Amino acid sequence: MKYLLMPFAWLLMFFYNLFNNYGLAIILFALVVKVVLFPFALKGKRSMVKMSALTGKQQRLQKQYANNKEKYNAELTALYEREQVNPMSGCLWSFVPLLVLIPLYAILRQPLLYMMDATTEQINTLLTTLNWSGAAAANGWTADFAKAPYGQLQLASLISPANLEAVKAVLPKAFAINFDFFGLSLAQQPQWEIWKLPLTWNNIGLFLMPIVSAAISLLFSIVMTKTNNINNPDAPRQGTFMTYVFSPLMALWIGYAMPAGLCVYWIANSLFSMIQEVIAAQMLKKDYAAAAEARRKQELLDKEEEKRKKELLRQERAKRAEEKKKGGKKKKEAKETEPGVDLTASRVGLRAYARGRAYDPDRFGGVTPYKDPDQTVDEDAIEKARETKAEKAEEAALEAEITAKVAAEVEAEYEAGTLEETSEETPEGSEGEAPKEE
């Protein structure tokens, strides 16, 4: 684990040695991370813009394959591949700051290990050299070093130019870290119970840092939303829980639960993110314009498709209703005029043709109707429910077929330039309802 985190530690050490300031080193560390990841964040944002332009096509697929989830998922995946869009890329980069926070937390929490290459034996020796027990009692730290969550950070804060030579005799790579940042000690953990602490600038400043961090995090969320709305007017304007609540609460929790150095990183990251958001908005203007044009086109196609689909459904339903009506009359006439076998008598309980399709109930003088020994079975109701289910499935298949057909026609007309936007409304009574039978 140590070797995986060493590149982060080297970068932090580079800036610290350059400016001899712990807080400034953390800020520059956040800046470098933001610059390195900017191309990937830009790519993720561009993918989100493309995703918003595909909303209409996704809704069309949902209607077309409403009863076939497997087919819908396959078609949706094919759509993403054609448009070269990754639905997860936009969300992934929003979690990158948290992923960077993990190694940075380990480095800030254990500076003796990552910045001074100390071993366990050397750290145990330093406990005596730096009088850990006395310092812990004076500062209210955990007396048992093994149980102190930020023991190494607190022990490193005891190293000063006055005792540096004695410390180097134990730990050759040791140096006195300058934790002071505008009069605040970044080696300490901010305390929200300010009324229990002496009213010094250090305690008050550390108390305010998490609040400032949460406020800047909220400001960044507002800037991000406003930027998206300016460049994408069709986007929803309401904020989400993740945008306006979760991020500030996360910043507040990190501020009070961890050393002040991490709070500095979170503040710097939010400020740099705001700048990145403005720059990305300028760079993605063409993408936003293309997405707006794609949505306009989709609205035109959807409007034309809906109008044609209603008319085709009305015609097809009327045709099928007429065929059904004629077919019912023919069956009735055939039943009245021609002798035949009553196939309904071959039904046993819920099994439609358990006795066989050619079963003749009158061959041996009639048949006793089937009765379920446990419960009464309304076979007519069951048959009616079966017919209703079949009709619904047929209706869904018909709508899906017509939707696909109309979508293909409208798309082809649009590409050929023969489709014109119209404002004609569907006439009353043509909402796709079949005429009632008299």
Side-chain angles (χ1 to χ4, degrees), residues 116-233:
M116 304 180 194
D117 200 22
T119 63
T120 304
E121 292 76 12
Q122 290 172 328
I123 293 174
N124 291 333
T125 306
L126 284 178
L127 294 177
T128 304
T129 305
L130 296 173
N131 188 21
W132 167 261
S133 57
N139 294 284
W141 300 338
T142 305
D144 187 353
F145 181 81
K147 295 181 179 179
Y150 304 111
Q152 281 197 34
L153 186 62
Q154 294 162 345
L155 188 61
S157 68
L158 300 177
I159 302 175
S160 65
N163 59 23
L164 183 58
E165 291 302 322
V167 172
K168 279 190 172 183
V170 179
L171 182 59
K173 293 184 179 181
F175 60 94
I177 301 177
N178 180 18
F179 288 107
D180 182 76
F181 187 67
F182 293 105
L184 307 178
S185 175
L186 299 185
Q188 296 184 19
Q189 180 180 349
Q191 301 295 320
W192 62 274
E193 298 173 321
I194 188 65
W195 58 90
K196 295 183 179 180
L197 304 173
L199 294 180
T200 63
W201 164 241
N202 182 68
N203 292 334
I204 295 174
L206 291 179
F207 167 77
L208 292 175
M209 279 183 66
I211 299 175
V212 172
S213 176
I216 293 178
S217 182
L218 177 61
L219 180 61
F220 163 62
S221 300
I222 295 173
V223 168
M224 182 175 64
T225 304
K226 294 292 184 183
T227 305
N228 288 341
N229 288 338
I230 290 172
N231 292 279
N232 184 6

Side-chain angles (χ1 to χ4, degrees), residues 248-273:
L249 286 180
M250 174 67 74
L252 197 65
W253 176 78
I254 288 174
Y256 285 118
M258 299 179 185
L262 279 176
C263 197
V264 171
Y265 169 79
W266 197 266
I267 292 173
N269 180 72
S270 296
L271 290 173
F272 293 143
S273 295

Side-chain angles (χ1 to χ4, degrees), residues 374-394:
D374 298 323
Q375 60 181 358
T376 303
V377 178
D378 189 348
E379 296 185 354
D380 291 332
I382 293 173
E383 188 66 27
K384 186 176 180 181
R386 185 182 292 112
E387 290 175 359
T388 302
K389 184 177 180 181
E391 287 176 1
K392 287 183 178 179
E394 185 180 354

